[in-house]
Amino acid sequence: STPTASSPSSESPTPTSPSEAATAHATETIRDYYAVRNQLRQDPTQPLSPLKSVTISTELTTQQTLFKRERQQGLHQAGETKVVELQVQSVNLDNSDPQAGKVPTVQIDVCFDVSDVDVLDADGKSVVAPDRPDTGWIRYSVANYQWDSDPDGAWRVASSQDIERTPCDA
């Protein structure tokens, strides 16, 4: 039998260059990062160890500190933060000095939507400011400190910074 042309699918095409592969892995890492954060904020009894599967460097420290403080205050999340839009800003595959943090990095701007998210105190009362915007933008640096040994699977969110941008459509 003769192979037939495959029909178009909704799946992403196979990356063809190292930078496209890095972009695909970094984007997947961002989605995993949000899933882990949702899970840990919704269930404060879970250990924080899953953060190490999606964060590294200053972002790991920042998230661990945030979660510990929220848990001490008896806070937990109801609902899910959603990733609405991902925009890759840059890809740098320089791995010349991993010890000094010069590792492959993808900068990604993420618009997130918290319209379905509430943060509740121990009594179940909302602590969210009534004027909180439903969407916002954060610029993430997603880095791979194990590029030589694991160019595909070792991507982690290394840092984040809120950015001022026009709100995205949720």
Side-chain angles (χ1 to χ4, degrees), residues 16-23 91 93 147:
T16 57
S17 72
S19 66
E20 284 179 357
T23 297
V91 178
L93 299 181
W147 177 259

Side-chain angles (χ1 to χ4, degrees), residues 75 92 124 146-147:
L75 301 177
N92 182 343
Q146 274 88 46
W147 177 259

Side-chain angles (χ1 to χ4, degrees), residues 76-98:
H76 72 279
Q77 173 178 308
E80 302 241 328
T81 302
K82 295 182 185 80
V83 173
V84 178
E85 200 173 323
L86 292 155
Q87 295 178 351
V88 175
Q89 298 301 317
S90 65
V91 178
N92 182 343
L93 299 181
D94 181 354
N95 194 40
S96 60
D97 194 354

